[in-house]
């Protein structure tokens, strides 16, 4: 496939457009009737950063910070490397950053450091959503979201 200046190959673009065609299948009749389809291809992901703090408001060094989609459809069947579910350990000063994320609606939650894999348990996201902070972020946008550590056990 031909290499393009953005680092994408023409094969990747065709695949992306093929996926877009599948996702926008309901709009194909509009296209056939002379409508216009716009496909945006970007590598300008969203960035979410912030500080995880404990119940006293102090930085929570090593806290497990979790980012997951608001849409419950993204809570299952996400494969080995989920694109919209991310975990990280907060730094010694409690800071955390999720870079290059797809635009969308997310929940952010901080957990005790020994619970970094808790999200893999069945039913976790449903109970976590009620205690998480909701944030919407667009392509290329950066937002700060500070969170308090919560116990899920």
């Amino acid at each position: 496939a031909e290499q393009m200046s953005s680092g994408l190959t023409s094969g990747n673009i065709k695949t992306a457009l093929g996926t877009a065609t599948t996702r926008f299948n309901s709009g194909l009749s509009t296209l056939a009737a002379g409508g216009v389809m716009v496909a945006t291809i970007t590598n300008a992901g969203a960035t979410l950063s912030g500080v995880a703090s404990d119940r006293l408001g102090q930085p929570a060094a090593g806290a497990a910070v979790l980012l997951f989609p608001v849409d419950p459809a993204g809570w299952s069947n996400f494969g080995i490397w989920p694109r919209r579910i991310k975990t990280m350990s907060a730094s010694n000063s409690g800071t955390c950053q999720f870079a290059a994320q797809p635009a969308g609606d997310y929940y952010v939650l901080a957990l005790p450091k020994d619970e970094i894999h808790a999200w893999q348990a069945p039913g976790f996201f449903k109970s976590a959503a009620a205690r998480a902070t909701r944030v919407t972020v667009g392509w290329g946008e950066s937002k700060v979201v500070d969170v308090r550590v919560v116990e899920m056990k």
Side-chain angles (χ1 to χ4, degrees), residues 21-30:
T21 301
T22 301
R23 288 186 183 155
F24 296 107
N25 197 20
S26 62
L28 291 180
S29 59
T30 303

Side-chain angles (χ1 to χ4, degrees), residues 23 69 71-85 119-123 125:
R23 288 186 183 155
D71 183 1
W75 300 351
S76 61
N77 300 318
F78 41 73
I80 296 173
W81 301 104
R83 180 77 173 115
R84 294 181 182 268
I85 300 172
W119 66 273
Q120 297 171 348
F125 292 117

